[in-house]
């Protein structure tokens, strides 16, 4: 015969002196502590050579005295893994786990003091999951631990039932993970006749998201679930969106204004009863925004970071900063905007990526037979290395002297993250690009563009002498339209100017990205000029 399941030595045995089920169990070493002897099964071959199954209770002496037959198999099953007389504690607590339940046990018996909780607990929203017979239908309700401690005999101090699960939340951590697990369980029991018991709160509240809908749940309960309103919340009015099925034909969306001020004051007439799928939106206080600031450095009387209000202009900020000093060079002021820098950097990254793809494509080709293309690839690799240094500045060209003079048309409305650098007067002229010795030279009033280029070693054989351009100290660009663009007029070059000699990109014409490379090189010149003006070089 065979003995399987929760015995010490399950196996198929050849019995000699053992005549009964009790003898066979003893031969198998007896039952394990995890065995459920009342629910054992005896599998037997009857006289008609059919197989039958008999329920046997191994705790009864009559069963143990039952004679065994050749071919019998006794199945001993384990006890159920579920525990009945227990409650579970989870969430933002010191000792999560399973606790013994007893008759009359209440919430404060499970959580007697704040010592049982971690730092910054939400005492006003504690969830309790309960499984209802006969199908273990999940029911969820909440309570206030604060009220339960203060009024032990109140309804807030809920009487627990076996297998209840108590979840405590935190003000320091998002409550999404625990809620999402609960939502998954609720979705499994949703049906046509029993809609998903969920409501949502979003907007200016601490923890926006979906929450289980409780029986008799009101707007104030949903606010409590979301951790109460945030600082920026508009407390006079909220909006409730409700979905209703019309005649079983379609779903209609309805919007209802909620007098939030009355709800917060405890007015029951304004505290609407919620329905499944309701969404409460907490609006933002008009003209509310996080505190924004602008940085101003360089030759101003009081450099630093200044908080700004909506609509404040650069001229107002300069006045707050005490104006520029006598050493300032307003013509060379650099005004940078964070959102412009992010947009420019995104474009540069895209062009860099395209260049890398072009290089990878050309590397697969047989370029040895095409000398011009081979030369282009080498040049492109060199440019790619240089362009890795290019970073967007986000520079916005401004006319600071006009702003200081009170020209309202030239003034700039400030945004958070803006920065202004007012450099001191400079005596340098910088030459970069395809010259033999890129450098900065002392400004001399009797020198023109070509003189500065010559003092930098002159043009290389890769230079494009027809597209040389000058970046003024204020960020504006003077583009070359031909070899006669600059006259010998001594006002052509000014202190703080950057002369950019680009590469002759005609040699890259076989490349599909010729235009993109040209743009990158142009941006490279602008960036170097800007960083040079404010005294920072990459």
């Amino acid at each position: 015969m065979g003995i399987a399941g929760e015995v010490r030595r399950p196996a198929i045995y050849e019995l000699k002196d053992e005549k009964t089920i009790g003898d066979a169990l003893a031969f198998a070493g007896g039952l394990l502590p995890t065995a459920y002897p009342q629910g054992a099964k005896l599998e037997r071959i009857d006289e008609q050579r059919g197989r039958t199954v008999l329920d046997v209770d191994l705790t009864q002496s009559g069963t143990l005295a039952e004679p065994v037959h050749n071919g019998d198999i006794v199945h001993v099953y384990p006890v159920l893994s579920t525990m009945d007389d227990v409650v579970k504690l989870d969430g933002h607590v010191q000792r999560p786990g399973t606790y013994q339940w007893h008759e009359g046990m209440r919430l404060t018996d499970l959580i007697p003091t704040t010592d049982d909780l971690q730092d910054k607990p939400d005492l006003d929203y504690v969830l309790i999951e309960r499984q209802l017979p006969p199908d273990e239908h999940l029911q969820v309700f909440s309570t206030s631990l604060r009220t339960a401690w203060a009024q032990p005999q109140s309804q807030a101090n809920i009487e627990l039932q076996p297998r209840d699960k108590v979840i405590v939340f935190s003000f320091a951590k998002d409550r999404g993970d625990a809620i999402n697990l609960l939502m998954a369980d609720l979705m499994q029991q949703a049906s046509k006749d029993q809609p998903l018991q969920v409501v949502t709160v979003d907007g200016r509240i601490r923890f926006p998201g979906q929450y289980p809908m409780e029986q008799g749940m009101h707007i104030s309960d949903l606010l409590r679930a979301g951790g109460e309103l945030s600082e920026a919340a508009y407390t006079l009015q909220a909006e409730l969106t409700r979905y209703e099925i019309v005649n079983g034909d379609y779903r209609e969306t309805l919007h209802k204004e909620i007098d939030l001020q009355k709800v917060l004051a405890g007015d029951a007439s304004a505290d609407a009863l919620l329905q499944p799928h309701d969404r409460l939106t907490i609006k933002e206080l008009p003209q509310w925004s996080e505190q924004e600031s602008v940085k101003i450095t360089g030759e101003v009387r009081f450099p630093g970071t200044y908080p700004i209000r909506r609509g404040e202009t650069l001229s107002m900020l300069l006045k707050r900063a005490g104006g520029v000093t006598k050493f300032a060079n307003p013509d060379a002021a650099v005004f940078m905007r964070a959102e412009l820098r992010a947009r420019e950097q995104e474009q540069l990254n895209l062009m860099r990526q395209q260049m890398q793809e072009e290089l990878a494509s050309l590397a697969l080709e047989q370029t040895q037979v095409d000398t011009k293309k081979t030369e282009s690839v080498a040049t492109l690799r060199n440019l790619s290395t240089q362009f890795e240094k290019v970073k967007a500045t986000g520079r916005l060209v401004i006319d600071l002297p006009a702003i200081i003079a009170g020209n309202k048309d030239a003034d700039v409305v400030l945004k958070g993250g803006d920065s202004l650098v007012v450099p001191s007067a400079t005596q340098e002229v910088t030459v970069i690009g395809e010259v033999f010795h890129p450098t900065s030279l002392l400004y001399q009033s009797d020198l023109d563009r070509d003189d500065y280029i010559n003092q930098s070693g002159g043009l290389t054989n890769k230079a494009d002498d027809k597209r040389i351009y000058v970046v003024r100290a204020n960020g504006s660009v003077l583009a070359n339209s031909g070899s006669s663009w600059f006259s010998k007029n001594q006002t052509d070059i000014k202190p703080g100017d950057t002369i950019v000699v680009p590469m002759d990109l005609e040699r890259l014409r076989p490349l599909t990205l010729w235009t993109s490379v040209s743009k990158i090189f142009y941006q490279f010149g602008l960036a170097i000029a800007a960083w040079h003006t404010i005294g920072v070089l990459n």
Side-chain angles (χ1 to χ4, degrees):
M1 70 167 294
I3 300 181
E6 300 299 303
V7 293
R8 296 189 184 278
R9 294 186 295 272
I12 297 175
Y13 293 95
E14 181 179 348
L15 302 179
K16 295 182 179 179
D17 299 328
E18 296 79 16
K19 306 297 184 181
T20 65
I21 292 178
D23 294 337
L25 285 175
F27 196 69
L31 301 175
L32 291 173
T34 55
Y36 181 59
Q38 295 90 339
K41 306 288 184 183
L42 174 60
E43 189 175 324
R44 173 168 289 172
I45 299 174
D46 59 22
E47 296 176 355
Q48 287 76 33
R49 308 304 294 173
R51 191 175 291 276
T52 62
V53 176
L54 304 174
D55 293 329
V56 292
D57 184 351
L58 300 180
T59 62
Q60 301 296 320
S61 58
T63 301
L64 296 176
E66 175 77 21
V68 293
H69 298 173
N70 187 28
D72 281 356
I73 300 177
V74 177
H75 295 274
V76 183
Y77 295 99
V79 295
L80 297 178
S81 59
T82 58
M83 294 178 284
D84 291 329
D85 292 339
V86 296
V87 291
K88 293 182 180 179
L89 181 61
D90 198 7
H92 199 62
V93 295
Q94 295 287 5
R95 293 176 290 274
T98 303
Y99 291 81
Q100 182 181 357
W101 173 86
H102 59 81
E103 191 72 35
M105 185 179 188
R106 290 181 175 270
L107 179 62
T108 53
D109 296 324
L110 182 63
I111 311 175
T113 67
T114 54
D115 294 337
D116 298 291
L117 307 177
Q118 296 183 29
D119 293 339
K120 298 181 180 178
D122 185 352
L123 300 179
D124 293 315
Y125 186 64
V126 176
L127 270 182
I128 299 175
E129 300 179 29
R130 179 168 293 169
Q131 295 177 347
L132 302 179
D135 59 352
E136 297 187 348
H137 187 84
L138 183 64
Q139 183 183 43
V140 182
F141 49 95
S142 67
T143 188
S144 168
L145 190 55
R146 189 193 310 275
T147 304
W149 281 334
Q151 304 173 25
Q153 302 305 317
S154 67
Q155 293 182 350
N157 193 16
I158 293 175
E159 184 172 342
L160 301 177
Q161 294 184 12
R163 300 174 65 183
D164 277 356
K165 181 178 180 181
V166 179
I167 305 174
V168 180
F169 295 98
S170 165
F171 276 125
K173 300 177 182 177
D174 184 60
R175 50 194 64 179
D177 291 342
I179 294 295
N180 290 339
L181 290 174
L182 183 54
M183 291 295 107
D185 292 336
L186 291 175
M187 288 182 65
Q188 290 180 359
Q189 64 186 33
S191 65
K192 176 181 178 298
D193 299 322
Q194 180 65 40
L196 179 61
Q197 301 297 296
V198 60
V199 287
T200 304
V201 59
D202 58 19
R204 286 299 187 169
I205 195 162
R206 287 190 180 185
F207 301 104
Q210 290 186 329
Y211 290 90
M213 196 190 82
E214 311 163 34
Q215 289 185 355
M217 189 176 190
H218 291 78
I219 288 177
S220 58
D221 298 315
L222 183 53
L223 294 176
R224 183 166 50 86
E228 303 300 340
L229 304 180
S230 68
E231 182 184 8
Y234 180 59
T235 58
L236 300 183
Q237 186 187 84
E239 182 180 81
L240 181 67
T241 301
R242 177 164 291 171
Y243 305 99
E244 293 186 352
I245 305 298
V246 180
N247 300 325
D249 187 31
Y250 62 92
R251 190 168 82 160
E252 186 176 59
T253 302
L254 304 175
H255 300 294
K256 179 181 180 181
E257 290 186 358
I258 300 297
D259 192 332
L260 193 56
Q261 188 175 29
K262 289 185 177 181
V263 173
L264 296 174
D267 188 337
S269 64
D271 198 5
L273 186 67
L274 297 176
Q275 296 180 12
H277 299 292
D278 277 357
R279 176 183 289 270
L280 181 66
T281 301
I282 306 300
K283 301 176 182 179
E284 184 178 272
L285 196 67
Q287 298 185 9
W288 174 275
S289 62
E290 300 296 332
Q291 184 62 62
E292 296 181 333
S293 61
V294 171
K295 187 176 182 180
I296 182 170
T297 57
E299 294 296 336
V300 293
R301 290 191 64 193
F302 306 108
T305 300
Y306 289 81
I308 59 171
R309 66 174 186 270
R310 180 176 294 185
E312 191 164 355
T313 62
L314 184 55
S315 60
M316 297 176 184
L317 177 63
L318 281 170
K319 186 176 181 181
R320 292 168 61 192
V324 299
T325 70
K326 64 180 180 179
F327 303 104
N329 181 12
D331 286 325
V334 177
F335 184 85
M336 292 173 286
R337 177 154 287 172
E339 64 180 33
L340 291 179
R341 181 163 53 250
R343 192 157 57 240
E344 290 173 6
Q345 190 63 50
E346 184 178 350
Q347 293 173 349
L348 282 174
N349 292 341
L350 179 61
M351 287 189 287
R352 261 197 290 257
Q353 181 181 353
Q354 291 174 336
M355 181 183 291
Q356 293 297 329
E357 291 174 354
E358 177 79 6
L359 270 171
S361 176
L362 290 173
L364 297 176
E365 297 180 10
Q366 297 289 334
T367 57
Q368 288 82 355
V369 297
D370 190 337
T371 304
K372 190 172 184 180
K373 183 172 288 190
T374 302
E375 199 176 303
S376 296
V377 172
T379 303
L380 192 60
R381 282 202 179 98
N382 183 46
L383 285 176
S384 178
T385 302
Q386 293 185 44
F387 294 157
E388 288 299 323
K389 304 176 183 179
V390 179
K391 293 182 180 179
T393 61
R395 184 173 186 175
L396 179 65
V397 177
I398 62 171
D399 188 347
L400 190 59
I403 294 174
I404 295 174
N407 186 339
K408 294 183 178 180
D409 292 335
D411 213 349
V412 179
V413 178
L414 298 174
K415 295 183 178 182
D418 287 350
S419 61
L420 174 69
V421 181
V422 183
S424 56
T426 183
Q427 295 180 281
E428 297 90 17
V429 173
T430 301
V431 183
I432 64 173
E434 291 301 323
V435 293
F436 283 101
H437 185 58
T439 188
S440 293
L441 302 165
L442 187 65
Y443 171 75
Q444 298 180 51
S445 59
D446 59 340
L447 299 182
D448 62 9
R449 180 202 71 177
D450 292 339
D451 293 328
Y452 286 108
I453 291 175
N454 289 333
Q455 289 193 19
S456 298
L459 304 176
T460 70
N461 59 355
K462 296 180 181 179
D464 186 347
D465 61 351
K466 295 182 180 181
R467 293 186 175 86
I468 298 173
Y469 60 94
V470 175
V471 182
R472 292 293 194 201
N474 68 353
S476 60
V477 179
L478 300 180
N480 194 353
S481 60
S483 58
S484 62
W485 171 54
F486 277 104
S487 67
K488 292 295 181 180
N489 191 313
Q490 306 306 323
T491 62
D492 286 339
I493 299 298
K494 299 179 180 180
D497 285 354
T498 299
I499 301 171
V500 182
V501 181
M503 177 182 293
D504 183 4
L505 296 177
E506 292 292 338
R507 65 180 64 246
L508 300 181
R509 280 291 185 178
L511 302 180
T512 58
L513 290 177
W514 182 87
T515 302
S516 295
V517 172
S518 178
K519 290 179 181 178
I520 293 179
F521 198 87
Y522 178 73
Q523 291 292 335
F524 181 73
L526 293 181
I528 292 297
W531 293 126
H532 177 77
T533 301
I534 62 178
V536 180
L537 291 176
N538 286 352

